[in-house]
């Protein structure tokens, strides 16, 4: 049964939901129940998955030169063949330590004071000093890859770029969408950690389930969930930890508070076409879990755009794209990994930075002629949630009956 | 002349009313009771007497529900040897905390002369003070002497005053006089040859009815002064206790027992079928129903029948996903009102009812219908026959019978089952929009659920309209009045109380079905305190069981 059919069988009153105004108490001690107009409605979601948009195809096609090299592999590759054989022998600790620390001169390790200094002075903390680690491999093809058309154009390196951007090759999406801007995937697509079940992707979602910073989405002013030329999409930081069910999945239907800091409030105009919500561009700042034990970091996307599909089961899935300052991204997500981290993920810090600079496509610096930010995309899945804008705010994010109707059309409706 | 006639009529009516009040049907009462404290009562007593920061850690003996109420079971249960070990462990743990450096300074009325020697005078003060609070009556001299002696002997053996005092206090808390509410009687001067409850036993009955706790010092003082033996004195104490916020503790305790909410503690749901289930949800659901009831019945002084129709309740974050409603406050509770056309109205549609009267992995119209009949209307549904075949009812994925209504209809083709199911199922089927956890749903196995039916010959469309029919059924308020009395006296109705029960139920109607008025009528009645020298088994002969 299609949700619309169920909806039709419900009394019209079902489409009305109660607005509770906590701050407005009636004489009897209970808040006055107000019935909102039947339209416009709103839908709220909390993210259950939020990972770097990764589209893994055949490795040979994605990365014809193979996956990019880790620090150890890169170091070994720099050595003459006979030394490579020696260094790869198990038990050659000094060689391994040198590689992990990114130390060029083996003698440097003999001085204890120098050794300590070297621990904090690596090719991740000082990538400029290690130009030999630049053999970073990138995605060469022009699709398919996941992302959004951020600049509204179909670009290629040979074409004159849009004002304020740099020439680059766009991707084509998995369903043939044209003009996809995701140069960061070009940089990271041949890194082991971003391939199937890679550590980078796994960590993103682990943070959500471990109570790390998460994102709330709220679509308001909805007149028609299938086609509506004008709705508003709020992208907010969640101030609460997600609630999980017994299986460890994010529980739908929870009430979650918006972070009061306005920095984390983005409201974008949007339209709905055939159930797909697409926003106009704007700036979005989200708080993301820090790497390792680092405190949370801000992820600021400029010219950001969100595309959401409203699924029949009441959930949503979509893509958040935008431009991220490459120095900031390096500090927040690459350099902070340290040598050990980059070894696990399978890249070298100087190599990633070098390629980000070469492939950056946003925020053109007219002085240097180089771009300072890079297009990127996150994939996300959301489950219904009530987005609470502070205890005193009466606005509910979700039309209750609609979501109930949608949920009951899903597989869980049997119970 | 006409005026004079009217005046006469007025006077006659007034006098008749006055006589009417004094013509409350007399009763003979039941036997004095010996009721084991419930876990909550034990914990409350310790918190009241020694302070809320004293931890009570241990397992309590299982409770027993008799004729629908744990309060009746308390009068027939005992303490097993293993249970006594637990009581003793708890008592030792409590006293260790009471006598630690932090607490003894503020809790003990005196300091011993020496820390290594017995101090009978100080021990006597301590035993007298705490004995009165624990036993809910003053200790008699031999009791005081015995507990003082325990302390001094133990001090001699164990070497410190505190070790000795500890044994004495443990013996007080371990005593049957604390663990059981033992009702004592004395000759009744107003009815020669008969007996009545002692003032302290009256105080205890009263205090547990109204506060679910032991009498406070003021009530014990009133008992000592003989005030509870006069109508005026009794009324004054009832009014004092009812004016206290602790009345809600008493009302919550009653409804916890009456609605069987204690069963929520051990309730398990299949987390695969109900991912939103966890113990926090069930705890919150229980609290929600109790908050709803105390709000409506005490704060609002609403007509009791509104508990079947009211859309006002309270929400907390753990319940939000189950009810699928927003909850604005991050911690604690907020008032909530369902929309006028929402399918949820009345406590029967709350999770505490729908989840409790369901199976772990599916709803149960039969269990829900049975609970409405037995718990809320005090009617009796016979148990199923031993050889009943449940296979169709339990098969929720049956391709032929997709909804619970289909499956129960098939089940009812067996004429042995049909009679009882006819009584239970229509009520339960009205609640089928709520799954086994109480979450709202429109369909089952892809089929729209039909929640219409008939109750007492009247049709209803859904759970909310069933609630209106329940509210209109005189059985509901009668059941409450009857249950509150039985809860208070800890026994079933006596044959001699039949007229009084009718009077109480009629009074409830006259009082606008207000719970506080009902409670006050019970608490100030002779019937509530009346005791008989006959045994309960003799006097309940001929009485209807528990309507």
């Amino acid at each position: 049964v299609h949700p619309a059919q169920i909806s039709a069988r419900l009394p019209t009153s079902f489409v009305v939901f109660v607005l509770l105004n906590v701050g407005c108490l009636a004489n009897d001690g209970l808040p006055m129940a107000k019935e909102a107009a039947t339209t416009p409605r709103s839908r709220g979601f909390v993210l259950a998955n939020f990972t770097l948009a990764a589209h893994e195809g055949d490795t040979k096609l994605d990365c014809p030169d193979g996956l990019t090299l880790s620090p150890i592999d890169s170091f070994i590759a720099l050595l003459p063949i006979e030394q490579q054989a020696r260094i790869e022998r198990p038990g050659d600790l000094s060689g391994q330590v040198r590689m992990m620390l990114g130390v060029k001169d083996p003698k440097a390790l003999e001085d204890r004071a120098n050794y300590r200094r070297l621990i904090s002075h690596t090719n991740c903390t000082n990538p400029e000093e290690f130009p030999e680690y630049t053999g970073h491999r990138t995605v060469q093809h022009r699709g398919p890859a996941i992302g959004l058309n951020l600049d509204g154009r179909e670009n290629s390196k040979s074409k004159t770029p849009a004002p304020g951007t740099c020439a680059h090759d766009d991707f084509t999406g998995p369903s043939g969408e044209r003009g996809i801007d995701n140069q960061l995937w070009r940089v990271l697509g041949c890194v082991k950690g971003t391939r199937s079940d890679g550590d980078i992707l796994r960590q993103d979602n682990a943070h959500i389930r471990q109570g790390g910073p998460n994102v709330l989405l709220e679509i308001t002013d909805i007149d028609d969930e299938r086609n509506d030329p004008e709705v508003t999409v709020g992208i907010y930081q969640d101030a609460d930890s997600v609630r999980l069910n017994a299986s460890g999945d994010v529980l739908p239907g929870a009430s979650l508070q918006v972070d009061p800091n306005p920095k984390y409030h983005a409201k974008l105009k949007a339209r709905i076409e055939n159930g797909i919500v697409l926003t106009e561009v704007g700036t979005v700042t989200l708080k993301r879990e820090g790497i390792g034990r680092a405190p949370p970091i801000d992820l600021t996307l400029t010219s950001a755009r969100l595309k959401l599909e409203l699924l029949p089961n009441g959930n949503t899935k979509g893509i958040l794209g935008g431009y991220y300052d490459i120095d900031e991204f390096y500090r927040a997500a690459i350099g902070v990994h340290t040598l050990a981290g980059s070894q696990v993920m399978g890249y070298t810090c100087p190599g990633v930075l070098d390629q980000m600079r070469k492939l950056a496509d946003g925020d053109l610096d007219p002085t240097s002629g180089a771009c300072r930010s890079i297009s990127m995309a996150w994939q996300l899945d959301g489950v219904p949630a009530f987005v609470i804008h502070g205890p005193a705010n009466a606005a509910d994010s979700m039309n209750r009956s609609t979501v109930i109707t949608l949920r009951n059309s899903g597989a869980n409706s049997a119970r | 002349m006409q005026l004079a006639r009217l005046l006469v009529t007025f006077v006659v009516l007034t006098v008749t009313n006055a006589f009417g009040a004094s013509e409350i049907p007399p009763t003979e009462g039941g036997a004095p009771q010996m009721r084991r404290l419930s876990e909550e009562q034990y914990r409350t007593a310790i918190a009241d007497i020694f302070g809320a920061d004293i931890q009570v850690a241990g397992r309590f003996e299982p409770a027993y529900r008799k004729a629908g109420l744990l309060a009746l079971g308390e009068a027939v249960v005992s303490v097993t040897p293993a249970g006594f070990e637990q009581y003793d462990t708890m008592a030792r743990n409590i006293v260790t905390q009471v006598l630690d450096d932090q607490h003894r300074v503020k809790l003990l009325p005196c300091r011993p002369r020496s820390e290594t020697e017995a101090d009978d005078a100080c021990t006597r003060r301590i035993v007298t003070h705490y004995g009165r609070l624990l036993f809910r009556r003053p200790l008699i001299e031999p009791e005081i002497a015995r507990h003082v002696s325990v302390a001094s002997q133990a001090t001699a053996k164990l070497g410190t005053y505190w070790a000795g005092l500890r044994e004495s206090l443990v013996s007080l808390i371990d005593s049957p006089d604390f663990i059981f509410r033992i009702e004592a009687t004395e000759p009744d001067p107003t009815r020669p040859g008969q007996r009545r409850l002692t003032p302290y036993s009256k105080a205890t009955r009263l205090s547990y009815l109204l506060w679910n706790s032991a009498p406070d010092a003021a009530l014990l003082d009133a008992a000592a002064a003989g005030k509870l033996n006069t109508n005026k004195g009794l009324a004054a104490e009832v009014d004092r206790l009812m004016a206290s916020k602790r009345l809600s503790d008493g009302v919550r305790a009653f409804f916890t027992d009456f609605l069987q909410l204690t069963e929520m503690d051990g309730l398990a749901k299949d987390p695969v079928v109900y991912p939103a289930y966890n113990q926090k949800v069930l705890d919150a659901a229980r609290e929600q129903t109790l908050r709803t009831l105390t709000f409506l019945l005490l704060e609002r002084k609403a007509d009791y029948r509104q508990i079947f129709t009211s859309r006002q309740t309270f929400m907390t974050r753990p319940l939000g996903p189950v009810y699928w409603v927003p909850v604005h406050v991050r911690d604690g509770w907020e008032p909530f009102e369902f929309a006028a056309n929402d399918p949820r109205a009345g406590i029967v549609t709350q999770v505490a009812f729908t989840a409790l009267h369901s199976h772990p992995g599916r709803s149960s119209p039969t269990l829900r219908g049975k609970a409405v009949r037995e718990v809320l209307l005090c009617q009796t549904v016979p148990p199923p026959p031993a050889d009943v075949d449940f296979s169709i009812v339990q098969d929720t994925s049956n391709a032929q019978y997709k909804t619970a209504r289909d499956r129960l209809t098939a089940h009812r083709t067996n004429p042995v089952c049909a009679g009882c199911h006819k009584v239970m199922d229509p009520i339960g089927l009205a609640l089928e929009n709520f799954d086994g956890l109480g979450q709202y749903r429109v369909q089952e196995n892809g089929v729209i659920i039909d929640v219409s039916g008939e109750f007492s010959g009247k049709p209803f469309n859904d759970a909310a309209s069933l609630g209106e029919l329940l509210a209109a059924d005189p059985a509901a308020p009668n059941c409450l009045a009857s249950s509150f009395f039985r809860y208070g006296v800890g026994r079933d109705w006596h044959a001699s109380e039949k007229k009084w029960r009718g009077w109480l139920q009629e009074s409830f109607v006259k009082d606008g079905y207000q719970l506080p008025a009902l409670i006050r009528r019970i608490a100030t009645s002779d019937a509530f305190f009346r005791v008989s020298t006959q045994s309960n088994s003799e006097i309940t002969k001929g009485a209807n069981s528990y309507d």
Side-chain angles (χ1 to χ4, degrees), chain A residues 2 222-228 272-276 310:
Chain A
H2 191 274
I222 305 172
D223 296 311
D224 179 349
E225 290 202 355
R226 294 298 297 166
N227 290 289
D228 192 326
I272 307 178
E273 284 178 9
N274 297 321
I276 306 286
L310 302 176

Side-chain angles (χ1 to χ4, degrees), chain B residues 57-369:
Chain B
R59 270 187 302 110
F60 286 79
E61 293 261 67
Y64 167 64
R65 191 173 291 281
K66 183 186 173 199
L69 291 174
L70 294 175
L72 269 63
E74 283 161 8
V76 295
V77 289
S78 179
V79 172
T80 64
F84 185 75
E85 275 181 33
Q86 283 293 321
Y87 278 119
D88 186 55
T89 306
M90 283 189 278
R92 288 182 181 281
N93 192 276
I94 290 163
V95 175
T96 301
Q97 296 172 70
V98 168
L99 295 183
D100 66 21
D101 292 345
Q102 177 203 344
H103 288 99
R104 70 188 180 207
V105 177
K106 59 179 182 187
L107 288 177
L108 299 186
C110 56
R111 305 279 299 164
R113 289 191 312 269
S114 158
E115 298 233 338
T116 54
E117 289 172 22
D119 179 347
D120 287 356
C122 183
T123 306
R124 172 172 282 271
R125 283 185 65 187
I126 295 167
V127 165
T128 307
H129 175 73
Y130 284 111
R132 179 174 184 252
L133 295 174
L134 287 164
F135 289 8
R136 303 167 282 269
R137 59 171 173 80
L139 271 60
I140 54 174
E141 180 51 36
E143 287 174 325
I144 298 171
R146 192 169 71 242
H147 287 287
V148 170
S149 164
V150 165
S152 61
Q153 286 177 47
T155 296
K157 288 207 169 180
L158 301 171
T160 72
Y161 175 79
W162 302 116
L165 181 63
R166 180 170 184 259
E167 295 307 311
S168 178
L169 288 179
V170 166
S171 70
L172 281 174
I173 299 176
D174 274 348
S175 167
D177 289 278
F178 172 62
I179 294 171
F180 288 87
R181 293 150 59 184
I182 303 172
E183 292 181 340
T185 61
E186 61 186 15
D188 184 350
T190 63
R191 295 187 311 155
Q194 301 289 320
R195 297 185 74 81
R196 67 180 182 187
L197 287 177
T198 63
Y200 293 108
S201 293
K202 278 188 174 180
T204 299
R205 229 181 226 206
L206 198 56
S207 181
Y208 276 96
L209 177 79
L210 301 178
W211 286 7
N212 194 37
S213 181
D216 64 354
L219 186 58
L220 290 176
D221 289 346
K227 290 179 182 172
L228 301 184
N229 285 335
T230 68
N231 288 342
K232 194 180 162 194
L234 175 65
E237 279 307 305
V238 167
D239 288 339
R240 181 180 73 81
L241 296 175
M242 287 190 66
S244 163
K245 283 185 177 173
R246 296 193 67 175
L247 178 63
S248 81
D249 295 341
V251 169
R252 286 168 63 99
F254 165 73
F255 278 107
T256 300
D257 189 352
F258 177 58
L259 298 176
Q260 306 185 356
L261 298 179
T262 45
E263 313 296 324
M264 304 256 329
D265 291 340
L267 194 63
K269 296 287 168 188
D270 186 337
V272 175
V273 180
Y274 304 115
Y277 153 78
N278 60 44
Q279 190 58 42
K280 266 189 183 173
V281 168
L282 296 185
D283 291 347
R286 171 178 166 159
E287 178 62 22
Q288 179 190 43
T289 294
L290 291 173
R291 274 176 187 260
T292 309
L293 290 164
T294 51
F295 169 75
L296 286 174
L297 303 177
L298 294 184
E299 276 182 54
R300 292 282 303 274
K301 294 194 170 52
D303 182 325
Y304 167 72
R305 299 169 303 172
Q306 284 186 21
I307 72 161
F308 299 104
T309 56
S310 175
R311 296 176 188 278
Q312 293 178 318
T313 183
F314 295 84
M315 282 291 166
T316 187
R317 284 269 168 102
L319 286 180
V322 179
Y323 283 96
W324 207 260
V325 297
V327 183
H328 295 83
V329 293
R330 184 179 279 160
D331 303 305
W333 292 81
E334 68 186 18
F336 187 90
E337 184 166 356
F338 289 104
N341 38 36
D342 196 284
R344 290 197 198 262
I347 60 159
V348 170
T349 64
Q350 291 186 353
V351 171
F353 189 87
T354 50
L356 180 58
H357 303 292
S358 289
H359 296 292
R362 62 185 165 93
S363 68
S364 172
T366 305
L367 289 180
R368 288 172 181 175

Side-chain angles (χ1 to χ4, degrees), chain A residues 30 240 255 257 400 415, chain B residues 312 317 327 330 342 441:
Chain A
L30 271 176
D240 293 320
S255 297
Q257 217 95 15
R400 178 174 170 232
R415 308 291 176 183
Chain B
Q312 293 178 318
R317 284 269 168 102
V327 183
R330 184 179 279 160
D342 196 284
R441 59 179 180 176

Side-chain angles (χ1 to χ4, degrees), chain B residues 27 29-30 485 491-502 527:
Chain B
T27 61
F485 181 82
R491 59 170 172 78
D492 233 324
W493 287 103
H494 178 320
S496 74
E497 291 167 327
K498 202 168 181 178
K499 280 186 182 165
W500 194 82
R501 180 178 63 197

Side-chain angles (χ1 to χ4, degrees), chain B residues 279-523:
Chain B
Q279 190 58 42
K280 266 189 183 173
V281 168
L282 296 185
D283 291 347
R286 171 178 166 159
E287 178 62 22
Q288 179 190 43
T289 294
L290 291 173
R291 274 176 187 260
T292 309
L293 290 164
T294 51
F295 169 75
L296 286 174
L297 303 177
L298 294 184
E299 276 182 54
R300 292 282 303 274
K301 294 194 170 52
D303 182 325
Y304 167 72
R305 299 169 303 172
Q306 284 186 21
I307 72 161
F308 299 104
T309 56
S310 175
R311 296 176 188 278
Q312 293 178 318
T313 183
F314 295 84
M315 282 291 166
T316 187
R317 284 269 168 102
L319 286 180
V322 179
Y323 283 96
W324 207 260
V325 297
V327 183
H328 295 83
V329 293
R330 184 179 279 160
D331 303 305
W333 292 81
E334 68 186 18
F336 187 90
E337 184 166 356
F338 289 104
N341 38 36
D342 196 284
R344 290 197 198 262
I347 60 159
V348 170
T349 64
Q350 291 186 353
V351 171
F353 189 87
T354 50
L356 180 58
H357 303 292
S358 289
H359 296 292
R362 62 185 165 93
S363 68
S364 172
T366 305
L367 289 180
R368 288 172 181 175
K370 183 170 185 278
V372 168
R373 290 277 180 200
E374 294 197 330
V375 176
L376 294 166
L377 304 178
C378 294
Q379 296 166 350
T380 307
V381 178
D387 57 348
V388 61
D389 176 9
F390 288 113
S391 55
I392 292 178
V393 182
Q394 288 169 344
D395 182 10
T396 52
S397 53
N398 189 307
Q400 193 181 351
Y401 307 113
K402 293 196 172 182
T403 67
R405 183 182 292 269
D406 297 340
R407 294 188 291 275
L408 283 166
T409 305
H411 177 69
R412 280 202 301 270
T413 53
N414 182 345
V416 181
C417 305
C420 294
H421 278 281
K422 206 174 152 187
V423 171
M424 298 179 287
D425 295 355
I427 298 173
L429 288 168
L431 300 171
E432 271 296 285
N433 276 153
F434 311 110
D435 68 15
L437 184 58
Q439 299 169 115
Y440 180 73
R441 59 179 180 176
V442 178
Q443 51 175 268
E444 185 179 11
N445 293 323
V447 176
I448 297 285
I449 297 168
D450 175 7
V451 288
S452 64
E454 206 175 81
F455 174 76
S456 295
K458 292 173 191 135
F460 59 79
N461 304 325
D462 57 10
S465 56
L466 170 70
E468 283 165 19
L469 295 179
L470 290 175
D473 190 332
N478 283 348
C479 175
L480 179 86
S482 169
S483 299
F484 218 109
F485 181 82
R486 294 193 306 124
Y487 167 84
V489 295
R491 59 170 172 78
D492 233 324
W493 287 103
H494 178 320
S496 74
E497 291 167 327
K498 202 168 181 178
K499 280 186 182 165
W500 194 82
R501 180 178 63 197
W503 175 86
L504 182 69
Q505 290 168 338
E506 283 166 25
S507 302
F508 192 32
V509 178
K510 283 180 195 157
D511 293 333
Y513 302 100
Q514 288 195 2
L515 181 67
L518 174 75
I519 296 174
R520 194 175 185 284
R521 283 204 189 262
I522 292 172

